[in-house]
């Protein structure tokens, strides 16, 4: 009787295991699919491009604060140096388009300098002390955006941007990272000496964030040799930016100077173009010094001109191109251990093949990008939540 009971119990147990999908070999359930196709499986980052620059003048504390309030994970200060060597947040070394410098200083303060091989006459930050910069006020630089806030905000230093990120992050109960870009490293090298800019940046970052790959910091540059130098000095994550000037009718990238190559390549005689850094061998090269790539978004998707007015503006332009999936750059970069952060998404400028800015960002997020730069962080947050 006891033997029969044991047999019945064993049979029942076997039946239960079979109903659940099998025996010991597959008793452990299959792992759930990662919710995101990013390198780490974590949610893609929303990066406030020059702050919430779609709402307020770029690179101001007000724009950065707005980006944080909108939910940005990181805020991006582009950096240039003043005459006395202070890092300030400006998109370019030239102050003309983003400040009221022309109303504050006589035209005699303009100078002519070579910027990435282009002779440029302007008011340069490097010709003004920080005390003089403090007298300036920011203005809207992008056509079609509100000028109601022109003249209200000062030009901040990197130290002030960091303080804001930490203070506002603490108020929000979350970490807010910074994503500084070293602007025109070769240009600044000619003015201040080799790696002075890079050393100043690390001298500011290390005491605050530590020399750590886990710090909420990315350092980005369109040049290469400065990132290679930084790799020997810091564990903070580095990002190689990849530029182009336009997209051709056939969907290929247009590469015309000064957007053809990293400018330090031009100076050194290296013939590689930006696009070469996105090949398999190019990514292997980038991996020797960087943790991520930052390509302009058209590098990441295939586009086709099928003569459909997708954005409804009554014209057929490059912005109406149909998007037909990934070019493979994201997947190849991930396979080599590189993150992919792409730029720039704007509510008031239709992206290639998209009329809806939220849908555009979602498309790239679904492909697996690890971060998106956007002038409108609120839209980026909504896009992420809607995946």
């Amino acid at each position: 009787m006891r033997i029969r009971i044991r047999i019945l119990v064993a049979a029942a147990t076997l039946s239960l295991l079979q109903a659940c999908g099998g025996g010991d070999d597959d008793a452990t359930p299959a792992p759930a699919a990662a919710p995101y196709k990013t390198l780490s499986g974590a949610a893609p980052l929303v990066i406030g491009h020059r702050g919430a620059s779609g709402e307020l003048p770029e690179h101001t504390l007000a724009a950065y604060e707005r980006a944080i309030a909108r939910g940005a994970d990181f805020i991006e200060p582009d950096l240039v140096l003043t005459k006395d060597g202070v890092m300030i947040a400006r998109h370019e070394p030239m102050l003309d388009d983003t400040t009221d410098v022309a109303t504050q200083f006589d035209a005699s303060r303009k100078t002519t300098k070579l910027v990435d091989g282009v002779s440029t006459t302007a008011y340069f930050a490097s010709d003004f002390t920080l005390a003089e910069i403090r007298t300036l006020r920011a203005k809207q630089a992008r056509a079609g955006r509100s000028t109601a806030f022109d003249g209200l905000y000062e030009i901040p230093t990197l130290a002030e941007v960091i303080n804001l990120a930490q203070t506002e992050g603490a108020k929000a109960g979350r970490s807010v990272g910074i994503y500084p870009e070293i602007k025109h490293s070769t240009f600044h090298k000619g003015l201040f000496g080799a790696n002075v800019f890079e050393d100043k940046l690390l001298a500011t970052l290390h005491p605050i964030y530590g020399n750590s790959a886990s710090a909420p910091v990315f350092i980005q540059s369109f040049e290469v040799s400065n990132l290679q130098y930084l790799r020997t000095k810091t564990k903070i994550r580095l990002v190689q930016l990849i530029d182009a000037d336009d997209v051709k009718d056939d969907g290929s990238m247009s590469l015309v100077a000064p957007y053809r190559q990293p400018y330090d390549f031009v100076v050194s005689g290296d013939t590689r173009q930006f696009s070469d850094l996105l090949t398999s061998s190019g990514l292997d090269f980038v991996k020797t010094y960087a943790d991520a790539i930052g390509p302009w978004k058209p590098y990441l998707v295939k586009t086709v001109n099928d003569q459909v007015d997708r954005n409804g503006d009554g014209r057929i332009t490059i912005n109406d191109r149909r998007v037909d999936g990934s070019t493979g750059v994201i997947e190849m970069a991930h396979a080599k251990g590189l993150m992919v952060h792409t730029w720039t998404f704007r509510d008031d400028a239709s992206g290639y093949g998209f009329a809806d800015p939220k849908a555009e960002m979602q498309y790239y997020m679904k492909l697996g990008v690890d971060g998106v730069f956007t002038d409108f962080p609120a839209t980026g947050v909504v896009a992420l939540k809607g995946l």
Side-chain angles (χ1 to χ4, degrees):
M1 188 68 175
R2 290 177 182 171
I3 293 174
R4 180 172 174 77
I5 291 172
R6 287 174 183 157
I7 291 172
L8 290 172
V9 170
T13 302
L14 177 60
S15 177
L16 180 60
L17 286 172
Q18 290 173 336
C20 292
D24 293 340
D25 289 343
D26 50 3
T28 302
Y36 304 103
K37 293 169 67 176
T38 55
L39 180 62
S40 67
L45 300 172
V46 175
I47 305 156
H49 183 244
R50 312 180 199 174
S53 56
E55 301 182 55
L56 295 168
E58 65 186 40
H59 293 312
T60 59
L61 293 182
Y64 294 130
E65 185 175 358
R66 181 69 60 86
I68 296 168
R70 297 296 197 224
D73 300 298
F74 279 74
I75 54 175
E76 182 214 26
D78 294 330
L79 300 177
V80 302
L81 293 177
T82 65
K83 185 177 183 178
D84 40 357
V86 179
M87 291 174 286
I88 61 171
R90 289 291 90 191
H91 179 56
E92 295 289 352
M94 298 78 75
L95 301 171
D96 307 51
D97 292 338
T98 64
T99 76
D100 61 357
V101 63
T103 65
Q104 302 296 327
F105 290 91
D106 187 84
S108 63
R109 295 295 298 272
K110 286 187 175 185
T111 54
T112 300
K113 302 184 192 319
L114 206 61
V115 182
D116 288 1
V118 179
S119 181
T120 305
T121 300
Y123 293 97
F124 283 89
S126 55
D127 292 328
F128 293 81
T129 65
L130 179 61
E132 291 176 313
I133 296 291
R134 292 292 195 196
T135 69
L136 305 181
R137 295 296 179 267
K139 67 179 184 180
Q140 179 56 249
R142 191 172 178 87
R145 291 182 177 173
S146 173
T147 58
F149 304 97
D150 287 8
L152 298 182
Y153 306 121
E154 295 182 2
I155 285 66
T157 64
L158 174 60
E160 290 168 338
V161 176
I162 293 172
N163 180 67
L164 176 78
Q166 294 188 317
T167 301
E168 294 303 311
K171 289 179 184 178
R174 61 187 180 88
S175 172
V176 175
I178 65 162
Y179 208 126
E181 180 184 344
I182 299 173
K183 300 296 295 189
H184 304 285
S185 180
T186 297
F187 168 82
H188 282 98
K189 176 182 177 180
L191 296 174
F192 296 93
N195 302 125
V196 169
F197 199 162
E198 290 73 20
D199 288 339
K200 281 180 177 289
L201 180 56
L202 295 185
T204 298
L205 296 177
H206 281 172
I208 298 171
Y209 295 105
N211 182 5
S212 171
S214 62
V217 181
F218 289 95
I219 301 172
Q220 57 180 329
S221 176
F222 281 106
E223 297 192 29
V224 173
S225 56
N226 60 338
L227 292 177
Q228 292 174 315
Y229 172 80
L230 285 168
R231 183 79 297 156
T232 69
K233 301 293 182 179
T234 188
K235 296 176 183 177
I236 288 174
R237 293 168 292 182
L238 306 178
V239 183
Q240 178 64 63
L241 296 174
I242 309 292
D243 210 353
D245 72 286
D246 208 341
V247 181
K248 298 179 183 177
D249 286 342
D250 65 0
S252 63
M253 304 304 295
S254 173
L255 294 164
V256 176
Y259 309 103
R260 187 172 187 266
Q261 300 173 268
Y263 189 63
D264 56 324
F265 278 13
V266 176
V267 173
S268 68
D270 192 320
T271 60
R272 285 175 294 177
Q273 302 177 36
F274 276 116
S275 58
D276 293 321
L277 299 182
L278 296 182
T279 64
S280 180
S281 60
L283 290 171
D284 286 337
F285 168 71
V286 172
K287 180 62 178 174
T288 64
Y289 61 88
D291 304 277
I293 55 171
W296 186 33
K297 60 189 180 183
Y299 275 109
L300 304 182
V301 294
K302 301 172 186 175
T303 63
V304 177
N305 184 3
D306 58 1
Q307 299 298 308
V308 175
D309 181 16
R310 287 187 168 79
N311 61 13
D313 64 358
R315 299 178 298 128
I316 302 296
T317 70
I318 197 167
N319 292 330
D320 296 302
R321 300 178 69 86
R322 187 180 79 239
V323 176
D324 278 355
S326 173
T327 58
V329 169
I330 298 170
E331 294 81 0
M332 187 163 50
H334 282 176
K336 296 176 184 296
L338 290 164
M339 292 172 282
V340 181
H341 297 164
T342 193
W343 46 275
T344 302
F345 296 88
R346 298 181 169 102
D347 289 12
D348 53 2
S350 63
Y352 296 102
F354 296 91
D356 176 11
K358 182 184 76 172
E360 182 191 16
M361 271 191 276
Q362 286 179 331
Y363 190 90
Y364 284 82
M365 289 175 176
K366 288 175 182 177
L367 288 179
V369 296
D370 303 273
V372 294
F373 285 85
T374 174
D375 291 3
F376 297 84
T379 304
V381 171
V382 171
L384 180 58
K385 289 180 178 178
L387 290 181

